[in-house]
Amino acid sequence: MSQASDKVIIGKIGAPYGVKGWVKINSYTEVPEGIFDYSPWLLADGKEYQIDQWRPHGKAIVAKLLDIDSRDDAECIKNLDISIDAEQLPELGDDEVYWRELNGMQVVTTQGYQLGVVKEVFNTGANDVIRVKAKANDAFGQKERLIPFVFDSVVQTVDKTERVITVEWDPGF
């Protein structure tokens, strides 16, 4: 089995639905139903689960997992993260990157100033943002920066091999 670092969380088990072991699914995939493209699911209880069936339910989705046959069984897995092996994710093109790949990358301005290291990536609704933690002796007095992860206008390059993101950004901001 793969190491924990090779896992990617793609959703979370929600509340039980009915009495036959069905559960609500909170999907983190771009298209909510896309979560069912991956199998097996590795839950935080350390076990692998196969999807027996699933269906949309209003604006939500519900699923029946193999060996989860009662409401009590469903209660036991409620609120557990749904992970998959990272190798199940599709290969991306050269100009695409998964958020998890950005964590730990160095961020450098086009003028060569070291801004720090990516600590987090999140979405604001308008665009993705990287939280960059500066080294302790930052000349501009910055401990961290929030930089829009927008290609061309801010992000110039992402070098996956060297693990460096080059940005057009004022270090004083």
Side-chain angles (χ1 to χ4, degrees), residues 40 60 63 67 78 81 112 125 127 136-137 162 167 173:
D67 299 324
K78 182 172 85 173
D81 285 333
N127 53 266
N137 57 351
E162 296 295 321
V167 294
F173 186 67

Side-chain angles (χ1 to χ4, degrees), residues 6-167:
D6 296 327
K7 307 286 183 243
V8 177
I9 297 173
I10 61 169
K12 182 175 241 166
I13 301 289
Y17 172 77
V19 296
K20 296 184 178 180
W22 286 72
V23 290
K24 293 180 181 175
I25 302 295
N26 300 309
S27 175
Y28 303 156
T29 56
E30 188 172 5
V31 177
E33 295 81 7
I35 196 167
F36 300 107
D37 293 341
Y38 303 101
S39 185
W41 287 355
L42 311 167
L43 298 189
D45 65 359
K47 298 178 186 171
E48 289 187 359
Y49 292 88
Q50 298 287 338
I51 296 100
D52 183 21
Q53 2 176 1
W54 69 273
R55 66 176 180 252
H57 180 69
K59 293 184 179 181
I61 47 180
V62 294
K64 167 74 175 71
L65 306 181
L66 290 176
D67 299 324
I68 303 296
D69 298 316
S70 69
R71 187 172 187 89
D72 288 342
D73 291 346
E75 277 290 338
C76 290
I77 62 171
K78 182 172 85 173
N79 295 326
L80 294 182
D81 285 333
I82 302 167
S83 299
I84 59 168
D85 283 321
E87 55 205 38
Q88 290 185 53
L89 295 172
E91 287 291 322
L92 297 179
D94 291 337
D95 59 342
E96 297 177 306
V97 63
Y98 285 115
W99 279 9
R100 65 187 183 84
E101 295 176 299
L102 299 176
N103 288 325
M105 282 191 175
Q106 293 289 324
V107 180
V108 180
T109 67
T110 52
Q111 291 77 35
Y113 185 80
Q114 300 277 335
L115 294 174
V117 176
V118 176
K119 289 297 179 189
E120 179 185 14
V121 185
F122 58 93
N123 186 284
T124 62
N127 53 266
D128 297 337
V129 174
I130 54 176
R131 181 182 312 273
V132 179
K133 183 166 177 26
K135 43 188 186 207
N137 57 351
D138 187 313
F140 292 92
Q142 301 288 330
K143 292 184 180 165
E144 74 174 20
R145 292 175 176 84
L146 299 178
I147 301 174
F149 195 76
V150 179
F151 276 96
D152 298 327
S153 60
V154 178
V155 176
Q156 304 302 304
T157 61
V158 176
D159 186 330
K160 294 184 204 179
T161 307
E162 296 295 321
R163 299 200 38 77
V164 174
I165 301 170
T166 305
V167 294

